[in-house]
Amino acid sequence: MMGNTKNARRLFGTDGVRGVANVEPMTAETALRLGRAAAHVFKRDARRHKIIIGKDTRISGYLFESALTAGMCSMGVDVLLVGPMPTPAIAFLTRSLRADAGVVISASHNPFQDNGIKFFAATGFKLPDQLEAEIERHMADGALDAWRAAPEAVGKAFRLDDALGRYNVFVKQALPRELTLEGLRIVIDCAHGAAYRVAPEVLQELGATVVALGVDPDGQNINHHCGALHPQQLQAAVRRQGADLGIALDGDADRAIFADERGELIDGDAVLAILAEDLLARDQLHDRTVVATVMSNLGLEIALRQRGAKLVRVPVGDRYVVEEMRRSGCNLGGEQSGHIVLLDHSTTGDGLLTALRLLAVLVARQRPASELARIMTRFPQKLVNVPVAARRELSSVPALQAVIDSVAQRLGDRGRVLVRYSGTEPLLRVMVEGETSAQVEACVEEIAGAIRTHLTA
């Protein structure tokens, strides 16, 4: 039965269950069954069990919080409710409170109409595929209806009033005690999301003068023209305020994009380069290796190579980054989108923690953010999607493969070619990086032309 894991995971995607709120699978009924099945899976022995539930600021969060709580309590599992909290805070609290699991109700950077449910194991890491598959099987299993706690064993639900304070204390440890943010002016955009209270509070307590944007959630304005996906208002505020740094979080605060003192953006690749150089200087970058995805810019790879370090690439998705980091023992990884994983500090991406580590470098080196970001030179990049008639293995089309190989050979180690199928549409994605925009444009068109000739007929 376990061998059919891939087919069994129809409900869980790459980051939990996600969809439009109040439309299957994101309904109260499904959430209730999900809560019951998850409670059954995590309840491995006779002792009292507890699961933490947190959420972002979407209006539908109440609906799913109540349904999950009811399902879990019906199985004899206690629930700790922490309200709106960053995703990484739930991962931390799950570990810190020795809970059996943690649940986050959030659709991250999506608009408010969407919502999602994802789980953390007791270790604070996201669930492996086989455990998600087991939960799904129990949801479809008629036996689940018979697995109910006796009346005297029904679970209780508690509000954890000091959850925010616990996370505040934890995340502040990312800034070394000998450093302070006094004298710095920081603009932070919380995207009207999960970190709207804790992020400005942490920065202020560490001494910064804080200008806070996106801190008035109304249930429907999360990520709306603000936050990491829409940093324009952050950039303008940094320039207007004469700030030293701008920080834009997404709705569940597991990632961040930054703006330097001139209002220019610093993305995840540049942050990885800055943090890697800092760890290298202290001989603390494990195996002198950074883990990133296939979409990270070649400039990051070259910046690391120049410093005697290397970049290991994995498929797009933070779970693949974390899996490789755990497998190889690396302590720094992330994505261009600003999802940075610092395994010395946390088990998952944390936008606020990343910001504090970046600020630690800025304060310790007494250099402006724009100067730190010059550590890597971004290579021009172009991505095109070419419709195809069928998904054929590229190696089975020798004429097309020859064109791809020829372009890659001409670019050498000063360029990069990535050709891969879309996971959801009949498209072949062509990405080329090179030293000049003209060179990149020509290479993309050469490969796209070959695809049209050999795969779209």
Side-chain angles (χ1 to χ4, degrees):
M1 207 166 183
M2 287 300 283
N4 196 26
T5 295
K6 190 166 186 178
N7 293 332
R9 285 178 70 250
R10 295 189 186 93
L11 185 63
F12 284 89
T14 55
D15 199 22
V17 183
R18 191 173 290 191
V20 178
N22 230 17
V23 176
E24 284 294 349
M26 288 306 298
T27 62
E29 294 84 351
T30 297
L32 180 77
R33 290 189 69 79
L34 181 59
R36 285 174 49 73
H40 178 71
V41 167
F42 292 119
K43 194 176 178 182
R44 296 296 190 187
D45 50 47
R47 65 182 171 82
R48 198 76 184 177
H49 292 71
K50 60 186 177 188
I51 294 176
I52 294 173
I53 299 179
K55 59 183 180 178
D56 64 21
T57 55
R58 290 161 216 271
I59 193 168
S60 59
Y62 297 100
L63 181 162
F64 298 113
E65 181 183 58
S66 297
L68 285 166
T69 300
M72 290 171 178
C73 288
S74 77
M75 301 299 283
V77 172
D78 293 337
V79 174
L80 299 180
L81 298 166
V82 301
M85 290 282 284
T87 287
I90 306 306
F92 157 70
L93 289 166
T94 302
R95 298 193 319 275
S96 173
L97 294 170
R98 306 291 196 272
D100 297 282
V103 185
V104 178
I105 303 166
S106 174
S108 187
H109 55 274
N110 288 24
F112 88 92
Q113 297 94 328
D114 294 345
N115 216 329
I117 299 169
K118 56 187 170 186
F119 290 86
F120 287 106
T123 57
F125 289 101
K126 290 177 181 175
L127 296 191
D129 290 354
Q130 63 267 26
L131 211 53
E132 291 182 343
E134 188 180 346
I135 292 170
E136 280 200 40
R137 280 200 309 279
H138 288 312
M139 289 179 70
D141 189 343
L144 183 66
D145 293 329
W147 295 331
R148 298 178 187 275
E152 68 277 7
V154 166
K156 302 174 184 176
F158 305 88
R159 287 272 163 201
L160 193 64
D161 294 328
D162 64 344
L164 208 68
R166 288 171 183 258
Y167 175 65
N168 175 315
V169 171
F170 159 74
V171 80
K172 282 191 294 196
Q173 293 170 1
L175 190 78
R177 291 190 66 84
E178 67 272 15
L179 300 180
T180 175
L181 301 185
E182 286 178 20
L184 292 183
R185 179 177 291 271
I186 298 171
V187 179
I188 185 161
D189 182 346
C190 298
H192 301 298
Y196 78 98
R197 281 180 58 197
V198 72
E201 180 182 273
V202 163
L203 294 170
Q204 285 169 346
E205 289 178 5
L206 289 169
T209 298
V210 178
V211 177
L213 312 173
V215 290
D216 299 298
D218 62 9
Q220 298 186 10
N221 59 1
I222 187 170
N223 299 315
H224 186 63
H225 299 311
C226 58
L229 258 70
H230 307 282
Q232 295 81 5
Q233 71 164 349
L234 174 81
Q235 294 173 271
V238 166
R239 296 184 188 110
R240 190 170 60 248
Q241 295 284 341
D244 299 284
L245 188 71
I247 305 164
L249 303 171
D250 69 338
D252 70 336
D254 64 353
R255 60 188 172 110
I257 291 290
F258 301 90
D260 67 21
E261 75 284 357
R262 301 173 307 182
E264 300 296 321
L265 291 181
I266 304 173
D267 71 5
D269 285 344
V271 172
L272 282 173
I274 293 166
L275 297 183
E277 184 181 51
D278 176 60
L279 288 169
L280 283 166
R282 295 184 282 117
D283 198 26
Q284 290 181 6
L285 183 65
H286 294 182
D287 201 28
R288 300 182 73 83
T289 299
V290 174
V291 179
T293 76
V294 291
M295 294 310 295
S296 276
N297 194 274
L298 180 61
L300 171 60
E301 198 168 324
I302 290 174
L304 292 171
R305 192 188 306 155
Q306 289 170 343
R307 288 157 179 82
K310 67 178 186 285
L311 184 71
V312 170
R313 293 182 184 273
V314 298
V316 174
D318 66 283
R319 71 183 296 157
Y320 301 115
V321 172
V322 174
E323 282 173 10
E324 174 59 25
M325 291 175 72
R326 296 180 74 188
R327 188 196 67 78
S328 59
C330 293
N331 59 340
L332 177 63
E335 297 185 278
Q336 195 178 61
S337 61
H339 200 122
I340 308 297
V341 181
L342 297 146
L343 280 189
D344 291 338
H345 299 272
S346 183
T347 54
T348 190
D350 187 327
L352 183 54
L353 191 151
T354 301
L356 293 178
R357 290 306 307 158
L358 182 62
L359 283 162
V361 178
L362 190 148
V363 171
R365 292 184 57 183
Q366 292 291 294
R367 294 285 182 271
S370 60
E371 189 174 317
L372 296 179
R374 284 202 290 270
I375 184 173
M376 69 168 272
T377 302
R378 184 167 306 283
F379 276 56
Q381 180 188 89
K382 182 165 185 182
L383 174 69
V384 297
N385 295 319
V386 185
V388 293
R391 296 168 66 101
R392 294 171 60 190
E393 283 290 333
L394 299 184
S395 57
S396 72
V397 190
L400 172 57
Q401 190 65 57
V403 172
I404 295 170
D405 292 344
S406 171
V407 170
Q409 192 171 2
R410 292 201 307 272
L411 290 170
D413 63 2
R414 302 294 292 176
R416 194 164 66 97
V417 177
L418 179 66
V419 181
R420 64 185 180 99
Y421 285 103
S422 162
T424 56
E425 301 171 274
L427 299 172
L428 196 51
R429 304 193 195 282
V430 181
M431 190 278 289
V432 175
E433 289 172 343
E435 296 196 85
T436 68
S437 296
Q439 177 194 41
V440 167
E441 190 84 33
C443 290
V444 164
E445 279 311 307
E446 185 177 346
I447 295 172
I451 292 169
R452 294 185 190 105
T453 299
H454 299 289
L455 286 184
T456 60

